[in-house]
Amino acid sequence: MELINSIFSHFDSALAIILVLGGLIFFHELGHFLANRAMGIGVVTFSIGMGPRLFSFKKGKTTYQIALLPFGGYVSAVGEYSKEVEELGFTQEEAVSNRPPWQRIILAFAGPFANLVIAWLIYTGLTFFIGQTTLLPQVGVMLDKSPAIEAGLQKGDLIKKINGKEISSWEEVPAIINNSNGQALDMVVLRNNENIELQITPKKMPRTNIFGEEEITWLVGIQPLGTVKTHEVSFGQSLIQGYEQTWHMISLTLTGLKKMVTGAVSADSMGGPLLIGEMIADQAKNGIVSVLLLTALISVNLGLLNLLPIPVLDGGLIFFCLIEIIIRRPVPEKLQERLMQVGAIFLIGLMIFATFNDIMRWFK
């Protein structure tokens, strides 16, 4: 692993960006492609990238290509964008337009689902090959005049028990403190190989959460030292850990989207392709593990964002199919086209706004 880290750390940042984004787009479109093939639907084009074609080859009835712009891709099923079927060498049974809406929902969902599966596989692989990492409940930075200092807590203390409960990871500490409602907590810490008993009373204090919001909650004014413990786990346990980590990232992403829509989180915090590229380049300097963790996070975001009910996205196609199921007839093509134009304009505007935010961050 150290050798791989050493090699990867010298990769050009631009190459790392292309590999990560290109790889995620490839697997997203591969999900659509495999779903079409599994259902016997003909695929006209499998494209990685958008815009002018750089390279292509044809195998069977399908053209596989790489296009100029790496930030996108598509799988064009026969009958999806054109009524030409036999003219392209396909049969009417292979046309997606002749399939029931429930099948088209599966086809649209397959791409985002592939992104979630990739994230799960990354988390599973890292857990299996590196081990499960636990952040130890060891005290690091303490705020001045905080309850922790008043109680006699010291940097480096390892928290063993709180109110008689054994503590094995840092994640347990803030949860117990936050649920204390200001009642005194009996704490046992390990200091210089000696167990020391302390009593600490939380106070309501401001803190900034992972979404950038300031909230008032019960705190004692401590942060983790950052020491971790790693232990090996079986492949079966890795699969479970990978699933739990993926679900945790899904939950965080959905919560962030909800807060952004409701205005709880400022739209200025939204990042675009420049920020993503900068993050990938930064993590590339730290080695392949850091890049893979970021890749999994981006993959989860890519999958969920594509499920938003916005025309031109997979979620928009699912939305049209659901309406068709309810009203028992397809949404008029002209209306779909108009809504897709509106959706495209909205996404372009959103991309411009996010890119503007990225640029403004450079001047702050």
Side-chain angles (χ1 to χ4, degrees):
M1 184 61 69
E2 291 182 2
L3 177 60
I4 297 176
N5 276 333
S6 176
I7 295 173
F8 197 87
S9 65
H10 291 87
F11 275 18
D12 185 81
S13 296
L15 179 60
I17 294 170
I18 293 173
L19 288 175
V20 170
L21 296 182
L24 291 180
I25 292 168
F26 169 77
F27 283 110
H28 179 95
E29 300 305 331
L30 182 63
H32 289 307
F33 177 79
L34 293 177
N36 277 278
R37 283 298 176 86
M39 291 186 176
I41 296 171
V43 176
V44 180
T45 308
F46 184 132
S47 178
I48 300 302
M50 306 289 286
R53 181 171 53 192
L54 295 178
F55 168 79
S56 69
F57 67 92
K58 191 168 185 177
K59 184 176 181 181
K61 301 176 184 179
T62 304
T63 297
Y64 301 85
Q65 69 177 36
I66 296 177
L68 178 63
L69 304 176
F71 305 109
Y74 61 91
V75 169
S76 176
V78 65
E80 184 175 9
Y81 300 111
S82 171
K83 294 182 179 180
E84 293 182 340
V85 178
E86 287 89 353
E87 296 89 338
L88 298 174
F90 296 92
T91 64
Q92 288 294 333
E93 289 74 18
E94 293 177 291
V96 68
S97 54
N98 294 328
R99 297 304 179 95
W102 68 266
Q103 289 190 9
R104 285 182 271 131
I105 288 176
I106 294 175
L107 295 175
F109 182 74
F113 179 71
N115 285 123
L116 300 181
V117 170
I118 289 300
W120 173 50
L121 292 177
I122 289 175
Y123 288 131
T124 296
L126 290 177
T127 302
F128 180 70
F129 288 107
I130 298 177
Q132 183 178 355
T133 301
T134 302
L135 182 62
L136 294 180
Q138 193 165 16
V139 179
V141 176
M142 294 184 290
L143 298 178
D144 292 336
K145 300 180 181 179
S146 64
I149 291 181
E150 293 174 0
L153 209 59
Q154 295 182 12
K155 182 178 180 180
D157 286 350
L158 183 65
I159 301 173
K160 304 291 290 184
K161 294 182 181 180
I162 300 180
N163 284 349
K165 182 182 183 300
E166 297 281 349
I167 304 298
S168 59
S169 68
W170 178 266
E171 285 73 15
E172 300 172 80
V173 177
I176 294 175
I177 294 173
N178 189 39
N179 294 327
S180 68
N181 292 320
Q183 296 181 355
L185 301 173
D186 294 321
M187 189 177 292
V188 177
V189 300
L190 181 64
R191 182 189 302 164
N192 298 325
N193 296 320
E194 180 182 354
N195 286 327
I196 297 176
E197 297 182 0
L198 301 170
Q199 189 175 77
I200 185 167
T201 304
K203 292 181 181 178
K204 280 200 168 183
M205 302 168 65
R207 71 173 179 183
T208 302
N209 63 24
I210 60 173
F211 301 106
E213 300 173 291
E214 186 172 285
E215 55 187 15
I216 304 297
T217 187
W218 295 106
L219 300 172
V220 297
I222 58 175
Q223 295 180 5
L225 186 61
T227 49
V228 297
K229 180 181 179 181
T230 302
H231 61 274
E232 294 182 1
V233 294
S234 67
F235 183 68
Q237 291 173 315
S238 298
L239 290 171
I240 296 173
Q241 290 293 327
Y243 167 79
E244 292 178 347
Q245 184 67 15
T246 302
W247 182 252
H248 177 63
M249 288 302 166
I250 290 173
S251 178
L252 286 179
T253 302
L254 291 176
T255 302
L257 285 172
K258 178 183 176 182
K259 289 179 178 294
M260 193 165 292
V261 170
T262 59
V265 173
S266 173
D268 292 340
S269 62
M270 182 186 301
L274 296 180
L275 177 61
I276 294 174
E278 184 180 355
M279 292 171 64
I280 295 173
D282 287 342
Q283 294 307 312
K285 299 173 184 176
N286 298 326
I288 190 171
V289 173
S290 296
V291 172
L292 287 174
L293 287 172
L294 180 59
T295 300
L297 175 60
I298 296 174
S299 193
V300 169
N301 278 263
L302 181 61
L304 295 180
L305 290 176
N306 266 284
L307 287 174
L308 293 176
I310 300 174
V312 310
L313 294 181
D314 296 320
L317 298 177
I318 293 174
F319 181 67
F320 286 143
C321 290
L322 290 174
I323 292 178
E324 183 177 341
I325 292 174
I326 294 171
I327 67 176
R328 298 186 177 182
R329 64 177 183 274
V331 178
E333 288 187 13
K334 288 187 177 180
L335 178 58
Q336 288 192 46
E337 290 175 2
R338 293 287 178 85
L339 291 175
M340 291 182 76
Q341 290 172 356
V342 173
I345 292 172
F346 173 75
L347 289 179
I348 292 172
L350 200 63
M351 184 68 69
I352 293 173
F353 176 74
T355 303
F356 175 78
N357 283 346
D358 293 343
I359 295 173
M360 292 305 297
R361 287 190 188 94
W362 292 346
F363 295 98
K364 292 182 180 180

